[in-house]
Amino acid sequence: QPEKPPPVSTLHWHASAVSSLAFSSDGTFLLSGGREGVLVVWQLESGKQSYLPRLGGALIGIHPSPVDPAAYLLRQADNTLRLVNTATMKVEVSVLGLRPRPAGLSALEASRSTLLQPGSGHLIVPVENAQLQVFDTVHERHISLIQVTPRNVVVGSDAADAWGPYGPPAEPAVQHTAMSREGLCMATVDVRPDAGPFNSAESCLKFWDKADAVSGSGTRVPFTLNTRIDDPHRGAITSLSYHPSAHLAVTTGADAEFRVWERVNSQRRPGGKAEAPSCWRCRCRGSYKSLPLSASAFSHDGSTLAVAAGSRVTLWEPLSCTLAATLPVPADLAASGGLLQHLSFVSGSAHLVGASEHYLVVWNLLTGSLAWSLDLHACALAADPVHARFAVAVPAPAAAATAS
């Protein structure tokens, strides 16, 4: 005689896939969580639910405490642990780790939007929801989050037709960051792709002032917005660099132009008791033979601006955007038509280093000649600010084999 199938109860609330489940120690309650970032507590006898919303990230694990039957440890996809009490439905402890980079952000874009804050040594990295995370690498603790683009987290159904013909809303992301040498000012570029059929995107250049304030909700606010510039270029922004000693910044764009931005302090208003806030404006702009501009860097004394134009490197006087010189390129790099994606001046020497998708190139600025080049795929480049050396990051062998 065939066995009867066990009784099955179906509980429905989540709009997305459920990724974590746990029973209470006495079997009275079932806890569930998913991409919505909401902990749902089900009373199995009555079918009633209780909710702990706004946890800030997808739940990937629910673990009951062996000591307290009302305590549970939640694991989240953004590398966060939360200890919750289901008796009070409150979060008692939160431990925030270093968050992963956004899924839609490439390794190149992540390297351009990651930096160490001068003075404090805090690491600033792009994370999900158009935020920057400030992380103390010395004490291995989370400091704060900077909401670069104000927005609400949107979580929808996993169904293929839930968002219409163009898919789910595109996620904005921070693609470039730069900071003044003393760490008091920061510049960011955030991009919001269009989910429509034209593959367009909106770019926003923002300048921030260091604040170290506390918001009304008790969270730390390390920077406050000073100036916002919508679509500073006719197209994508390809690089962002900050002057080493003055409040100047440069952006390069897919429109074959670079623009130098300066901070201007407003004059004291008549009869006013305080100086009006400063702001940022475009000082000058330049281009080179209508070639695409892909990278930029200031020399350590700030007297020279290097801009990559196609496979070439051009040198400019930054205050007037006057062309000073052009540097030769290796024949292989010129023939491949590859764009230089990184530029950096080497401290304590007269050398400039650049990297494309397939070549690493070093120039001697005293002679204006090519020093040496190497067939190497460098996905990130950093120069030591004190010693005459630099470092490059190359893809892992497995990743390089897949790319080829």
Side-chain angles (χ1 to χ4, degrees):
Q1 198 172 25
E3 295 183 2
K4 291 184 179 180
V8 176
S9 299
T10 302
L11 306 175
H12 178 74
W13 179 86
H14 297 274
S16 300
V18 177
S19 53
S20 53
L21 288 171
F23 281 100
S24 62
S25 57
D26 59 1
T28 306
F29 297 94
L30 175 67
L31 287 73
S32 64
R35 196 155 56 92
E36 301 91 352
V38 177
L39 177 66
V40 184
V41 181
W42 305 82
Q43 213 289 334
L44 297 178
E45 187 69 24
S46 63
K48 293 182 179 179
Q49 308 103 22
S50 300
Y51 307 98
L52 183 58
R54 295 185 292 276
L55 292 173
L59 300 181
I60 59 174
I62 303 174
H63 307 277
S65 168
V67 179
D68 185 353
Y72 292 84
L73 183 67
L74 308 183
R75 290 189 299 119
Q76 296 183 218
D78 59 2
N79 200 22
T80 299
L81 297 176
R82 299 190 193 275
L83 182 63
V84 301
N85 189 320
T86 55
T88 60
M89 294 302 287
K90 291 183 179 180
V91 177
E92 295 185 342
V93 179
S94 295
V95 180
L96 284 73
L98 184 62
R99 300 189 174 190
R101 65 181 168 102
L105 202 65
S106 67
L108 174 62
E109 293 166 341
S111 68
R112 289 174 170 174
S113 51
T114 301
L115 54 83
L116 285 172
Q117 184 178 4
S120 67
H122 292 163
L123 181 67
I124 299 179
V125 294
V127 296
E128 292 283 357
N129 199 30
Q131 294 177 321
L132 291 173
Q133 183 186 21
V134 184
F135 191 82
D136 187 343
T137 56
V138 175
H139 300 94
E140 295 188 356
R141 61 187 180 94
H142 167 85
I143 301 298
S144 61
L145 290 172
I146 304 172
Q147 188 68 59
V148 177
T149 302
R151 66 186 299 271
N152 294 322
V153 179
V154 178
V155 178
S157 173
D158 292 329
D161 58 348
W163 297 104
Y166 303 122
E171 292 287 335
V174 182
Q175 293 189 353
H176 301 276
T177 58
M179 191 169 288
S180 61
R181 174 168 290 180
E182 71 279 4
L184 298 180
C185 295
M186 180 175 67
T188 63
V189 172
D190 57 272
V191 178
R192 185 178 65 190
D194 185 6
F198 304 108
N199 295 322
S200 61
E202 297 178 0
S203 300
C204 188
L205 173 64
K206 296 177 182 177
F207 294 95
W208 307 76
D209 295 330
K210 187 176 180 181
D212 280 336
V214 178
S215 67
S217 60
T219 58
R220 187 176 177 182
V221 181
F223 288 89
T224 56
L225 183 62
N226 177 290
T227 303
R228 167 178 173 161
I229 303 163
D230 292 323
D231 290 322
H233 288 266
R234 297 184 303 275
I237 297 176
T238 55
S239 75
L240 170 65
S241 300
Y242 208 106
H243 195 278
S245 57
H247 287 304
L248 291 174
V250 63
T251 56
T252 60
D255 56 356
E257 281 191 351
F258 72 88
R259 301 191 179 194
V260 176
W261 308 86
E262 66 174 349
R263 181 170 180 167
V264 179
N265 292 320
S266 302
Q267 300 294 324
R268 187 181 297 273
R269 296 174 180 174
K273 296 182 180 180
E275 190 176 87
S278 60
C279 63
W280 288 78
R281 69 180 183 184
C282 182
R283 178 184 179 94
C284 59
R285 66 181 70 181
S287 63
Y288 183 76
K289 297 184 178 181
S290 299
L291 292 174
L293 308 182
S294 53
S296 61
F298 285 100
S299 61
H300 290 278
D301 62 359
S303 62
T304 303
L305 169 65
V307 177
S311 57
R312 305 182 183 183
V313 173
T314 58
L315 303 179
W316 303 78
E317 198 286 317
L319 296 180
S320 61
C321 294
T322 303
L323 180 64
T326 59
L327 299 178
V329 295
D332 293 342
L333 178 59
S336 67
L339 300 178
L340 288 167
Q341 298 173 336
H342 307 276
L343 283 177
S344 186
F345 287 85
V346 181
S347 177
S349 73
H351 291 90
L352 173 70
V353 58
S356 72
E357 189 175 354
H358 299 289
Y359 289 93
L360 183 69
V361 189
V362 177
W363 292 271
N364 187 324
L365 298 178
L366 292 180
T367 61
S369 61
L370 178 68
W372 55 270
S373 63
L374 181 65
D375 186 356
L376 181 69
H377 179 192
C379 55
L381 167 67
D384 191 317
V386 179
H387 303 94
R389 59 189 180 188
F390 62 90
V392 296
V394 298
T402 302
S404 63

